[in-house]
Amino acid sequence: MSDLNKESLELRQLEDFSYETEVILQKLKSDNRHIITAFQTDFDAQRFKKQHGTFFSSLSLSKHSKIDDEEGFAVYEVNTTSEISSPESFYAFLDAVNKSDWIISVNFPINFKRDGEIISSSFTMKVYNNKKDLNTTK
């Protein structure tokens, strides 16, 4: 096989590999569009309360503050206090957070205290965002 034919074959293999890789990349982007968008969405406490407030009798969030960078992402902590009527509401909230507009982890400990028919809770959440300082964009 001549050098020209070898180069032509290698170029074709490279083009095929590039095309296949592009197809895989586009499929991954499509399949994970929600997650990619969530990493790019700045946390908005008012919007969060509007989306998730229905799970609680009351919900309050303290100002979020940047706590660290982890693996290329900025991490912000949000302190949360709430009141719920049943533990099922809290579990439904956790399910909804997994589908929300942000990448959020609810951290332990989660403190619950019953007072009559109401359960008070407090917990912190970590909000993950592309590595940038959210305070400069607000």
Side-chain angles (χ1 to χ4, degrees), residues 14-138:
L14 184 59
E15 288 172 348
D16 289 346
F17 175 77
S18 177
Y19 174 76
E20 290 168 9
T21 303
E22 181 65 25
V23 169
I24 292 168
L25 175 62
Q26 293 307 319
K27 179 163 179 18
L28 285 170
K29 281 182 176 181
S30 176
D31 292 349
N32 297 288
R33 181 178 34 248
H34 175 76
I35 295 167
I36 293 167
T37 302
F39 271 122
Q40 297 169 347
T41 304
D42 293 344
F43 184 74
D44 181 327
Q46 289 304 102
R47 196 162 128 221
F48 180 89
K49 286 172 75 171
K50 185 176 180 180
Q51 286 182 359
H52 300 292
T54 58
F55 297 103
F56 303 95
S57 303
S58 72
L59 174 65
S60 66
L61 306 172
S62 67
K63 185 177 180 194
H64 62 283
S65 58
K66 185 174 180 185
I67 57 170
D68 205 357
D69 289 336
E70 291 179 17
E71 298 181 27
F73 297 99
V75 181
Y76 294 82
E77 186 172 74
V78 178
N79 295 316
T80 308
T81 57
S82 64
E83 292 181 343
I84 55 176
S85 57
S86 73
E88 289 84 14
S89 297
F90 190 78
Y91 293 120
F93 161 72
L94 292 177
D95 259 354
V97 163
N98 286 331
K99 300 171 188 133
S100 75
D101 293 342
W102 306 276
I103 303 298
I104 294 175
S105 70
V106 175
N107 299 321
F108 292 98
I110 300 170
N111 299 307
F112 292 103
K113 182 179 179 185
R114 179 172 286 283
D115 185 13
E117 294 297 312
I118 297 294
I119 301 169
S120 298
S121 67
S122 63
F123 55 94
T124 60
M125 300 183 301
K126 285 185 180 178
V127 180
Y128 294 82
N129 201 268
N130 278 339
K131 192 173 182 179
K132 62 181 180 176
D133 187 354
L134 293 180
N135 294 322
T136 61
T137 61
K138 297 241 179 214

Side-chain angles (χ1 to χ4, degrees), residues 1-17:
M1 184 178 269
S2 72
D3 287 342
L4 187 56
N5 287 342
K6 277 185 181 177
E7 286 179 18
S8 178
L9 179 62
E10 289 172 358
L11 182 58
R12 183 167 182 80
Q13 289 172 335
L14 184 59
E15 288 172 348
D16 289 346
F17 175 77

